[in-house]
Amino acid sequence: MERLGRDAPLPEEMQGRWIDVKDPTSELIVQDGEVTCFGKAVAYDYKLIDKEDGALCVSLKIDDQANEDTFQRANVTELVITPEGDFHAYNVKFASQFKPAESYPNNG
């Protein structure tokens, strides 16, 4: 597992603009080290990047353990690309699957 600061880019496979498969009005944007989900930038301190059973996994974390629960509930905290190429984002309250924005007419 690799720990990287916020300024380090997320994996190339996750870069770009993504649309929620169940709600085409919702998007996830990954640009370098920044993550914006549902119109809100994720204010994280560092990320953990790992490969698990062929899946590329990124966990967004904060240094302030006292506010960890609040952070986990208010932000997307996990990004996963499965071995099949599906992109998922989730936290303790929700999970969504995303497709590249250019795969949706009128959105790319």
Side-chain angles (χ1 to χ4, degrees):
M1 186 172 308
E2 185 175 10
R3 179 182 167 141
L4 298 170
R6 181 185 175 107
D7 57 337
L10 275 81
E12 183 63 33
E13 300 92 326
M14 295 180 176
Q15 296 289 325
R17 184 168 161 251
W18 303 82
I19 303 294
D20 188 313
V21 297
K22 291 186 178 172
D23 180 5
T25 64
S26 295
E27 67 181 12
L28 169 73
I29 300 170
V30 177
Q31 184 174 2
D32 298 321
E34 298 298 317
V35 177
T36 305
C37 192
F38 308 127
K40 180 182 172 199
V42 180
Y44 70 97
D45 295 319
Y46 66 96
K47 57 189 143 288
L48 300 174
I49 300 175
D50 201 7
K51 283 250 184 183
E52 297 177 20
D53 298 324
L56 177 60
C57 306
V58 174
S59 296
L60 304 177
K61 304 285 190 180
I62 59 171
D63 291 321
D64 181 3
Q65 293 305 307
N67 287 313
E68 180 71 22
D69 187 60
T70 300
F71 175 77
Q72 289 280 330
R73 293 177 180 282
N75 296 283
V76 60
T77 57
E78 305 292 329
L79 304 170
V80 176
I81 295 183
T82 67
E84 298 78 29
D86 296 331
F87 189 17
H88 298 272
Y90 59 94
N91 72 8
V92 296
K93 292 175 30 178
F94 84 95
S96 292
Q97 181 177 352
F98 292 86
K99 296 279 185 191
E102 59 269 11
S103 65
Y104 286 88
N106 304 323
N107 276 328

